[in-house]
Amino acid sequence: MVNPNPNLTAERPTFVTHLECSMTGESYPADQLHNLSRVGKPLLVRYDLDAVRAAVPRAMIEARPTDLWRWRELLPVRHARDIVSLGEIETPLVPVARSGGPNVLVKDEGRLPTGSFKARGLVMAVSMAKALGVTKIAMPTNGNAGAALAAYATRCGIETIVLCPDDTPEINVREIAAQGGRVYRVNGLIDDCGAIVAKGAAEGLWFDFSTLKEPYRIEGKKTMGLELAAQLRWTLPDAIFYPTGGGTGLIGMWKAFAEMEALGWIGSKRPKMFAVQASGCAPIVRAFEAGEEHAERWEDASTVAAGIRVPRAVGDFLILRAVRESGGVAMAVGDPAILRAVDDCARRDGLLLCPEGGATLAAYREALRLGLVDEEESAVLFNCATGLKYPMPDASETLDRHQPIDLAAL
Ligand SMILES: *Cc1c(COP(=O)(O)O)cnc(C)c1O
């Protein structure tokens, strides 16, 4: 049966013109497989925005179902037949008035397929891999990316090999295998896993799907920025707090804002972008504070927020540029503050965040204290995965149904 969502079936004109090195601006042809540019930097997808502007008025977007594929003219997939969808819905903006404040919204990305926003990036990257004839993919992951990769790749018959640190959250390791990925626990961190993946790719054994080492995950993650604008009636919040590992989402949203401005969909106002890291792994924060353009590897990285335990990011300079241009800040929060924020949000607002989402709430509170934002300003915090994927403390008690129970005391 044909999917009744016209976003998934409509044939579309596509507007991709070429890919471009994010460092040198050198141009690369579209419709071919690429990893990094010649100088080892991420490639960005470029569109004929004048043509999009002429063909796609904002009202046309508004008339469509609200899922990720409503943005198709700003996405790289050329043919509907290549879309490998699991139902990429628009995620809600949930107010957290008690734990956050009167102008704080959580964009709850845990509602996406596979329970994290990695679905946005991987649905795009896998659809493009399918379009370009890839049959085998390998990827290093802290968990959620591997799960999303396994799900989408399995769905279209692409083989996957996923390498994760041996202390990756257990549910991630198991969901990867459950969804058809071959998963290995490696005694190292994500960049150690990445080195193994790179070696196999160099030997021609598989295609390397590491963060930012293929061009299309950014395009998928970019939809967070597009969606935000549509949800806020074509305005942007005053501040965005983003838990930053590889930084795909932050880089993607920044790109989305520029594209929407070029299309005349939004004005020139930008949110202050806050790149949030954990104190136990904060290479971007260290580089930000030192005024550097690149970030050195963070040794002995450790944090409960597994998704942002990324000691080294190939897109470091893109994250740092976006944060600085926006007038934002890269800031680190400690694990105790992260866990307190998760607990507080669940207890007081009924919203269970993942630890990385907790990090954004902790950072928001710290930014308030430091006067980097004020309560009047609107802020959007990204909760990037469902809190249900992570271990929770057991606070239950037991009842013996064979004994008298003092019901009033329960
Ligand atoms: C991957 C991940 C992040 C970091 O996202 P990047 O865009 O790679 O910086 C944050 N939180 C969670 C839950 C993740 O899975």
Side-chain angles (χ1 to χ4, degrees):
M1 209 168 117
V2 175
N3 192 310
N5 178 356
N7 286 346
L8 293 171
T9 50
E11 274 312 330
R12 72 283 308 280
T14 42
F15 297 91
V16 174
T17 53
H18 63 287
L19 310 186
E20 190 179 285
C21 174
S22 55
M23 181 74 121
T24 64
E26 188 188 5
S27 178
Y28 292 74
D31 307 304
Q32 293 179 11
L33 275 182
H34 295 285
N35 286 114
L36 294 172
S37 73
R38 245 179 292 277
V39 297
K41 299 299 173 195
L43 290 174
L44 300 174
V45 181
R46 295 300 181 202
Y47 301 82
D48 181 347
L49 292 175
D50 288 335
V52 177
R53 190 183 174 121
V56 191
R58 225 169 55 177
M60 193 162 140
I61 300 280
E62 285 170 342
R64 294 174 178 170
T66 56
D67 63 284
L68 179 148
W69 300 99
R70 90 195 293 200
W71 305 105
R72 54 187 170 269
E73 289 88 351
L74 290 174
L75 297 175
V77 181
R78 296 217 194 254
H79 301 287
R81 62 169 184 266
D82 292 321
I83 296 177
V84 191
S85 177
L86 285 164
E88 297 70 34
I89 58 163
E90 177 182 88
T91 60
L93 289 165
V94 183
V96 287
R98 294 199 179 93
S99 61
N103 293 308
V104 183
L105 299 171
V106 170
K107 188 141 174 74
D108 191 8
E109 297 281 296
R111 322 284 178 107
L112 284 159
T114 70
S116 88
F117 71 172
K118 291 296 194 299
R120 292 185 190 267
L122 271 308
V123 72
M124 208 58 61
V126 169
S127 297
M128 289 305 292
K130 176 188 172 195
L132 298 173
V134 173
T135 57
K136 194 167 177 178
I137 294 172
M139 174 200 267
T141 184
N142 279 325
N144 288 323
L149 169 64
Y152 287 110
T154 291
R155 203 167 166 78
C156 64
I158 296 178
E159 229 183 301
T160 54
I161 294 158
V162 179
L163 276 57
C164 58
D166 51 13
D167 59 351
T168 296
E170 195 56 33
I171 195 134
N172 285 140
V173 181
R174 295 183 188 211
E175 68 179 318
I176 293 166
Q179 288 158 182
R182 275 215 303 291
V183 60
Y184 297 89
R185 302 178 201 247
V186 178
N187 50 350
L189 291 173
I190 188 169
D191 57 339
D192 301 311
C193 298
I196 301 170
V197 168
K199 205 153 172 252
E203 290 177 21
L205 296 175
W206 52 59
F207 189 65
D208 187 341
F209 244 47
S210 305
T211 305
L212 299 185
K213 287 195 183 170
E214 66 75 54
Y216 303 110
R217 274 168 73 180
I218 291 185
E219 295 306 293
K221 285 275 198 85
K222 169 179 101 175
T223 59
M224 293 189 291
L226 302 172
E227 230 174 81
L228 255 188
Q231 286 175 303
L232 299 174
R233 295 170 188 277
W234 309 103
T235 66
L236 298 174
D238 296 315
I240 287 178
F241 287 76
Y242 186 81
T244 306
T248 324
L250 196 148
I251 297 165
M253 282 193 279
W254 198 244
K255 181 172 188 283
F257 299 155
E259 290 174 355
M260 283 190 289
E261 186 180 356
L263 294 172
W265 292 358
I266 61 168
S268 59
K269 185 198 160 221
R270 295 286 183 278
K272 288 181 271 192
M273 304 296 281
F274 288 86
V276 179
Q277 299 202 298
S279 318
C281 181
I284 300 296
V285 177
R286 187 170 61 190
F288 178 82
E289 289 173 353
E292 307 280 355
E293 211 203 339
H294 290 275
E296 273 176 48
R297 184 176 197 268
W298 188 276
E299 300 302 325
D300 303 318
S302 145
T303 167
V304 291
I308 51 175
R309 194 178 60 168
V310 178
R312 174 166 32 207
V314 62
D316 52 2
F317 65 108
L318 298 172
I319 302 169
L320 287 159
R321 270 183 208 168
V323 170
R324 289 186 176 123
E325 275 177 39
S326 77
V329 173
M331 55 192 294
V333 287
D335 280 3
I338 291 174
L339 294 173
R340 249 193 330 271
V342 170
D343 184 67
D344 206 36
C345 190
R347 266 177 211 285
R348 297 170 71 200
D349 284 304
L351 183 67
L352 185 63
L353 303 174
C354 62
E356 299 80 2
T360 65
L361 177 54
Y364 172 75
R365 290 165 164 181
E366 180 66 3
L368 263 188
R369 203 180 61 76
L370 296 172
L372 301 170
V373 288
D374 66 58
E375 231 182 33
E376 304 306 312
E377 291 179 296
S378 57
V380 169
L381 317 180
F382 275 85
N383 183 49
C384 301
T386 168
L388 294 173
K389 285 198 185 201
Y390 302 84
M392 276 172 264
D394 180 18
S396 65
E397 296 168 57
T398 55
L399 277 184
D400 182 352
R401 68 192 172 90
H402 300 299
Q403 300 296 323
I405 296 174
D406 180 359
L407 294 174
L410 294 186

